[in-house]
Amino acid sequence: MFATEAKEHLKILLADPEVPTVMLWGPPGVGKSSIVQQIAAEKDWGFLDLRLLLLNPIDLRGIPYPNRMTRQADWLTPSFLPHVRRDGTEGIILYDEITSAPRAVQAAAYQLILDRRVGEYTLPEGWRQVAAGNRAQDKGVVNQMPAALANRMIHFEVTSSVEDWKLWAIPKRIDHRVISFLNFRPELLYRLPSQAAEIKAFPSPRSWEFVHKILPSYGQADKAFPAICGAVGEGPATEFTAFCRMLDQIPDADEILDGKTKTVPDSPDMIYACIGALVSSLSNNKTEVRLGNFFAFVCKLMIEYQVLAINDAVKAGLRTDLVMLPEFRHWLAKNADVLVGAD
């Protein structure tokens, strides 16, 4: 399932603190950890990221100390586990990269994951448990999960697609150049090198977010090329910077939205770039006139580009504004069957 689907299922399941631990499987960089953090932030819950890879099997139990009254050993519980006074009454503990942990450490987590307790520590009642990890084919450090541990979890496999990624990226105001490029080259949203020895930088939802963060520091993509290479790899970086150079040839988005130009690009890459720039500009400054000019311009494009532009505008939170346009309502009645995400 895609990341947004996994997030919706998690929100339903995590409404009950007693739900079994959910395990998110998937390649690196598709947003497994991010969606868990997003849920915690949206619910105003505490959040703890526990990397079992960094622990020894005994660490979850804590440290013994002598009880002079009972003449027995008691245990000091680990501070890295959730504690109500510090972390709140409700929250999520994420066992991230659990499949990278040695099998002995995974086995040590059995009791905590199933019984919500380990040694003398009990997980607070309002805390939920989620795990995440890579699959064997993802060319990461992966240890096979013991069957006894796997059987203690609900398993989801997370993958990526540009349309699903844009449900997050457009509202987050990811640079329109990145969004436009991935509309044009959706297969470059995620591409793991075929040879493990070649793995350094490669494109993923996470590394394209890095590109978004890199661009403001340089201004122009050409100047940022070495850093972009370091994020997504040389091939995707070369294509992206060439795409950005082409942006100088498209009509100015504000001039289109202000009705000063009606020139329509004639090549697919320029159309994708123009749509991304229009949606970004309209999100920053939406008026009835600009919305009308946006829709009038979009209607000059082929139907597949019209659908793309309207879908992206909906993802940007502009659906209600568009519905106020009589011409859009007429368009919607004719094309509702091909419009994705209009609800």
Side-chain angles (χ1 to χ4, degrees):
M1 64 178 63
F2 297 129
T4 53
E5 294 177 282
K7 181 178 177 181
E8 290 306 310
H9 283 288
L10 273 174
K11 288 168 70 173
I12 293 170
L13 292 170
L14 297 180
D16 178 4
E18 298 295 327
V19 72
T21 300
V22 179
M23 173 69 193
L24 301 177
W25 296 88
V30 297
K32 302 184 297 296
S33 306
S34 295
I35 62 176
V36 181
Q37 294 181 50
Q38 289 167 27
I39 292 172
E42 291 167 9
K43 297 289 188 180
D44 197 25
W45 291 343
F47 176 79
L48 286 179
D49 182 341
L50 179 60
R51 307 293 173 112
L52 295 178
L53 172 64
L54 305 178
L55 303 180
N56 290 313
I58 195 63
D59 290 343
L60 286 170
R61 178 77 184 263
I63 299 175
Y65 71 95
N67 185 321
R68 298 184 184 279
M69 295 185 64
T70 63
R71 300 181 64 81
Q72 295 177 334
D74 290 338
W75 291 78
L76 294 172
T77 59
S79 63
F80 54 74
L81 293 174
H83 294 270
V84 169
R85 286 188 180 181
R86 182 192 64 197
D87 304 309
T89 57
E90 291 191 283
I92 303 174
I93 179 170
L94 172 64
Y95 305 108
D96 206 357
E97 299 178 1
I98 189 172
T99 50
S100 299
R103 288 170 63 88
V105 179
Q106 293 184 34
Y110 286 3
Q111 187 183 15
L112 181 59
I113 289 173
L114 180 63
D115 299 329
R116 298 176 59 86
R117 62 178 297 124
V118 59
E120 297 179 10
Y121 173 82
T122 300
L123 190 70
E125 290 184 1
W127 277 74
R128 292 86 170 154
Q129 301 180 94
V130 180
N134 302 140
R135 306 159 303 180
Q137 64 265 38
D138 295 323
K139 301 181 176 67
V141 178
V142 176
N143 293 303
Q144 184 178 358
M145 181 178 289
L149 177 58
N151 194 236
R152 285 163 163 78
M153 299 179 175
I154 299 170
H155 298 266
F156 293 150
E157 188 158 332
V158 182
T159 187
S160 60
S161 79
V162 167
E163 287 303 317
D164 185 75
W165 174 76
K166 287 191 298 183
L167 291 169
W168 168 84
I170 292 177
K172 284 292 186 180
R173 304 292 179 90
I174 295 298
D175 194 294
H176 71 89
R177 290 169 287 184
V178 175
I179 294 171
S180 298
F181 175 69
L182 292 175
N183 273 333
F184 179 57
R185 292 281 277 130
E187 61 273 23
L188 289 181
L189 174 65
Y190 191 95
R191 189 172 70 185
L192 192 66
S194 57
Q195 300 295 325
E198 298 174 359
I199 295 180
K200 292 179 183 176
F202 60 92
S204 71
R206 177 166 55 203
S207 57
W208 283 115
E209 184 182 1
F210 293 166
V211 174
H212 157 76
K213 294 177 179 179
I214 287 167
L215 288 170
S217 300
Y218 291 88
Q220 296 180 353
D222 279 329
K223 294 181 180 178
F225 179 72
I228 297 172
C229 281
V232 298
E234 184 175 358
T238 300
E239 290 194 47
F240 175 72
T241 51
F243 182 87
C244 290
R245 284 194 294 272
M246 177 272 303
L247 291 175
D248 294 334
Q249 304 172 35
I250 68 171
D252 181 81
D254 285 324
E255 290 190 358
I256 294 173
L257 295 174
D258 293 336
K260 296 177 181 178
T261 182
K262 296 179 172 59
T263 305
V264 177
D266 55 4
S267 65
D269 54 349
M270 295 178 72
I271 293 173
Y272 283 117
C274 195
I275 289 171
L278 286 171
V279 172
S280 177
S281 181
L282 190 59
S283 299
N284 293 326
N285 180 14
K286 62 179 181 182
T287 65
E288 185 177 347
V289 171
R290 285 166 68 88
L291 283 161
N293 288 333
F294 167 77
F295 187 70
F297 180 86
V298 165
C299 286
K300 297 177 182 178
L301 305 174
M302 295 175 62
I303 185 62
E304 58 264 34
Y305 297 123
Q306 294 180 34
V307 172
L308 172 66
I310 298 301
N311 271 324
D312 282 4
V314 168
K315 291 181 177 76
L318 297 171
R319 184 183 190 278
T320 302
D321 303 284
L322 286 170
V323 168
M324 299 301 292
L325 301 174
E327 56 269 38
F328 174 73
R329 294 197 295 272
H330 177 69
W331 183 96
L332 187 59
K334 291 173 55 180
N335 299 283
D337 58 328
V338 294
L339 187 62
V340 179
D343 294 333

